[in-house]
C-alpha cells in the first residue's frame, strides 16, 4: 500500500470559517485518509502528442513513489512492447507503492498481465448504451465478458478493480448488474467512472453513494473523473462525500481531451478546505509536477492551482505591501507545497515592491530616489512586456547612485 503519509497543516491554511458548514465523509470513516491511485503513466500518457519511453516511465514511477501515492498504474502492457517493458521495469523497481496494470475485459489483456507477473489490475468494459453500441457489444454479452475476464484474472492470482467505462451515463440497472457481476466473479474493488466528464459534482455524490449501497461498506470504492467542464476536482471531492476512499487521478491533470482530475488539486482541496486527511507528501508535488512536464514536453499555465510557477510570486504593488503577512494574500502557506515566495518587478510594481527586492538583493536605494527607481522599473517592464531580472534591477539602482 506504500507509506502512510499524511499532510499536516499546522496553522498554515487560511481559508474561510464558512467551510466548517461543509459536512463531508458521510460514507467514509473520518480517521481513514483518502488515497490516490495514480494513472499518469497510462491515462495521462493519452494526452495528445505525449509519448513516454519505458525509462522515463520508470523514473516518473520512482518520483510518484516518493510523492507517496499508494498505487501506480504502470500501464496497459498489451497495447505495445514499450508499455509491456515499462510495466516490467516498474514492477521490478522495489517501490513502496503498489504497482497496478490496466486491461480490457479481454482474455489476451489478462494473459499478458499474467505473463508479466502482475499482481493487480483494473479491468474495464464499456457500460453506457452509447459505448456498448460503439463497440458492438450487447448488455447481456458485456456481463459474460466481465465474469470471464475477472475470473481469469483471479485464477492467475491478479487482484481486480472493476472499471465500467462511461458508467455515469449508463442505465442504472445495468450499471448495478455489471458491478455485482464483477464482484461475484472475484473483483475486490470497483470504480465509479466519469469517462467524458459528463456529471455535476452533485450527481457524482449521488451515484457514488448509490454504488456504495449496492456493494456494501467493505468494498474499496474509487472515483475516476475527467475535466471537460473544469469540475474534475469538485467531482472528486463530491465522490469522497458520497463514500469513495480512492481517487484515481494524474499529475498536472494530464489526460485525454481536458485531462483527468489533478492529484495536487484534489489533495489540497480535501486537506485545506474540508479537513480530510490524504495519504500523500504534498511538499513533493511541485517537484514531481515539473518532472512530469519535462518528460512529457508540454507547457503549463503559470497560474495553475498548487503547482503553477507564478502562484507565490507577487508583482502587484498593492499586494507587495502585504507581503509580510502571507495569510493576507494567500489561502495556504507556500511551505505546504515547498514553494518559494518572492517579489518580482515589472509594470505593476509599487514602492513596497522595490524596497523588498532591494533588501533581498542587498541594495540601497538612495534617499529620495525611490519614485524615480520605481518609474524606471515600470518603464522597463512595459518595454519588455514582462518581468525584470535581478541584474536589470541592479543596473537601474546603480544609475541613481551615481
Amino acid at each position: 500500500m506504500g507509506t502512510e503519509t499524511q499532510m499536516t497543516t499546522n496553522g498554515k491554511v487560511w481559508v474561510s470559517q464558512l467551510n466548517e458548514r461543509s459536512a463531508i465523509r458521510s460514507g467514509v470513516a473520518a480517521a481513514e485518509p483518502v488515497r490516490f491511485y495514480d494513472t499518469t503513466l497510462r491515462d495521462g500518457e493519452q494526452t495528445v502528442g505525449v509519448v513516454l519511453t519505458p525509462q522515463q516511465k520508470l523514473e516518473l514511477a520512482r518520483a510518484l513513489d516518493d510523492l507517496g501515492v499508494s498505487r501506480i498504474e504502470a500501464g496497459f502492457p498489451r497495447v505495445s512492447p514499450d508499455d509491456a517493458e515499462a510495466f516490467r521495469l516498474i514492477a521490478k523497481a522495489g517501490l513502496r507503492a503498489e504497482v497496478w496494470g490496466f486491461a480490457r475485459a479481454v482474455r489476451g489483456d489478462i494473459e499478458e498481465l499474467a505473463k508479466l507477473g502482475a499482481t493487480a489490475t483494473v479491468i474495464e468494459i464499456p457500460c453506457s448504451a452509447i459505448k456498448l453500441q460503439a463497440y458492438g457489444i450487447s448488455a447481456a454479452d458485456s456481463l459474460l465478458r466481465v465474469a470471464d475476464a475477472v475470473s481469469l484474472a483471479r485464477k492467475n492470482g491478479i487482484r481486480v478493480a472493476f472499471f465500467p467505462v462511461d458508467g455515469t451515463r449508463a442505465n442504472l440497472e445495468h450499471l448495478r448488474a455489471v458491478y455485482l457481476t464483477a464482484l461475484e466473479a472475484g473483483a475486490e474493488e470497483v470504480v465509479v467512472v466519469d469517462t467524458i466528464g459528463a456529471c455535476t459534482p452533485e450527481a457524482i455524490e449521488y451515484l457514488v453513494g448509490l454504488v456504495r449501497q449496492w456493494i456494501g461498506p467493505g468494498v474499496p470504492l474509487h472515483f475516476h473523473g475527467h475535466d471537460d467542464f473544469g469540475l474534475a476536482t469538485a467531482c472528486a471531492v463530491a465522490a469522497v462525500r458520497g463514500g469513495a476512499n480512492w481517487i484515481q487521478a494524474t499529475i498536472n491533470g494530464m489526460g485525454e481531451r481536458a485531462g483527468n482530475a489533478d492529484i495536487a488539486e484534489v489533495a489540497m482541496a480535501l486537506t485545506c478546505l474540508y479537513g480530510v486527511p490524504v495519504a500523500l507528501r504534498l511538499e513533493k508535488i511541485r517537484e514531481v509536477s515539473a518532472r512530469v512536464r519535462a518528460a512529457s514536453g508540454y507547457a503549463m499555465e503559470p497560474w495553475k492551482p498548487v503547482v503553477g510557477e507564478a502562484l507565490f510570486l507577487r508583482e502587484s504593488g498593492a499586494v507587495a505591501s502585504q507581503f509580510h503577512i502571507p495569510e493576507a494574500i494567500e489561502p495556504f502557506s507556500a511551505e505546504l507545497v515547498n514553494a518559494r515566495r518572492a517579489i518580482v518587478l515589472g509594470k505593476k510594481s509599487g514602492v513596497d515592491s522595490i524596497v523588498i527586492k532591494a533588501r533581498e538583493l542587498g541594495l540601497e536605494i538612495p534617499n529620495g530616489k525611490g519614485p524615480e527607481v520605481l518609474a524606471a522599473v515600470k518603464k522597463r517592464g512595459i518595454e519588455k512586456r514582462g518581468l525584470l531580472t535581478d541584474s536589470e534591477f541592479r543596473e537601474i539602482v546603480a544609475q541613481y547612485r551615481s
Side-chain angles (χ1 to χ4, degrees):
M1 191 70 71
T3 55
E4 297 295 322
T5 54
Q6 288 181 212
M7 185 173 66
T8 56
T9 55
N10 295 328
K12 296 175 183 175
V13 175
W14 313 298
V15 295
S16 173
Q17 292 181 350
L18 295 175
N19 293 334
E20 296 174 3
R21 297 175 178 267
S22 302
I24 201 167
R25 307 302 293 221
S26 58
V28 184
E32 278 293 310
V34 170
R35 300 185 182 280
F36 290 93
Y37 175 111
D38 180 272
T39 184
T40 303
L41 305 182
R42 197 274 306 174
D43 212 355
E45 194 191 21
Q46 290 180 214
T47 301
V48 171
V50 171
V51 178
L52 300 172
T53 68
Q55 189 60 40
Q56 284 178 315
K57 287 188 177 184
L58 175 60
E59 292 169 1
L60 292 178
R62 286 177 172 145
L64 292 166
D65 192 42
D66 194 38
L67 178 62
V69 298
S70 299
R71 292 176 178 172
I72 298 171
E73 191 172 80
F76 183 4
R78 191 154 184 241
V79 76
S80 75
D82 270 7
D83 283 71
E85 176 63 13
F87 186 93
R88 184 182 296 108
L89 290 173
I90 294 168
K92 293 181 177 180
L95 305 181
R96 291 164 295 186
E98 294 178 6
V99 177
W100 280 58
F102 184 87
R104 299 162 298 180
V106 173
R107 294 187 68 86
D109 289 8
I110 310 301
E111 289 166 351
E112 178 68 18
L113 283 166
K115 186 167 65 176
L116 291 168
T119 59
T121 190
V122 158
I123 293 180
E124 72 160 24
I125 197 163
C127 193
S128 67
I130 192 168
K131 286 286 189 182
L132 288 169
Q133 181 182 12
Y135 281 91
I137 302 172
S138 70
D141 187 40
S142 72
L143 296 178
L144 296 175
R145 294 189 187 201
V146 167
D148 181 59
V150 173
S151 297
L152 180 61
R154 297 302 298 127
K155 287 175 184 175
N156 282 278
I158 302 173
R159 292 162 53 204
V160 175
F162 175 63
F163 189 101
V165 175
D166 205 21
T168 56
R169 296 194 300 172
N171 172 278
L172 289 180
E173 290 185 10
H174 178 63
L175 183 62
R176 180 176 183 273
V178 292
Y179 278 129
L180 296 183
T181 297
L183 291 173
E184 288 169 6
E188 297 179 15
E189 308 183 14
V190 302
V191 189
V192 170
V193 189
D194 193 18
T195 301
I196 61 169
C199 265
T200 66
E202 294 81 2
I204 290 298
E205 182 175 356
Y206 166 77
L207 180 58
V208 170
L210 190 61
V211 174
R212 174 57 74 196
Q213 292 177 28
W214 294 342
I215 65 176
V219 177
L221 178 55
H222 302 228
F223 172 72
H224 178 111
H226 285 257
D227 203 32
D228 295 79
F229 291 94
L231 291 173
T233 295
C235 285
V237 170
V240 174
R241 290 175 60 92
N245 28 33
W246 287 87
I247 299 298
Q248 297 191 358
T250 63
I251 299 297
N252 299 333
M254 63 189 295
E256 287 194 84
R257 302 185 317 278
N260 290 46
D262 184 302
I263 282 180
E265 292 182 18
V266 176
M268 288 297 285
L270 286 171
T271 302
C272 299
L273 297 176
Y274 291 89
V276 174
V278 297
L280 212 62
R281 297 188 184 97
L282 261 295
E283 71 275 9
K284 303 278 189 179
I285 190 62
R286 289 171 69 89
E287 174 191 344
V288 177
S289 167
R291 292 181 65 174
V292 169
R293 272 201 321 277
S296 302
Y298 62 81
M300 188 176 72
E301 62 270 24
W303 52 83
K304 184 170 176 59
V306 187
V307 297
E309 294 176 359
L311 288 190
F312 297 97
L313 303 181
R314 302 287 172 254
E315 181 186 358
S316 167
V319 174
S321 67
Q322 307 166 63
F323 191 72
H324 60 295
I325 307 176
E327 55 266 43
I329 55 177
E330 294 156 12
F332 59 86
S333 170
E335 294 177 25
L336 291 180
V337 291
N338 196 27
R340 183 178 70 90
R341 301 180 74 239
I343 292 292
V344 292
L345 301 180
K347 171 188 173 181
K348 298 177 283 294
S349 295
V351 172
D352 289 297
S353 305
I354 63 171
V355 169
I356 294 171
K357 179 57 75 171
R359 186 184 307 128
E360 175 191 320
L361 298 177
L363 303 176
E364 184 176 340
I365 298 175
N367 287 337
K369 296 296 184 179
E372 294 175 68
V373 171
L374 177 59
V377 165
K378 286 176 171 288
K379 182 174 182 293
R380 182 72 63 88
I382 291 170
E383 290 172 347
K384 289 186 67 176
R385 299 186 68 185
L387 300 175
L388 278 68
T389 65
D390 288 349
S391 294
E392 288 173 323
F393 181 58
R394 286 191 178 95
E395 291 172 7
I396 289 173
V397 173
Q399 291 172 11
Y400 289 95
R401 280 207 300 263
S402 56

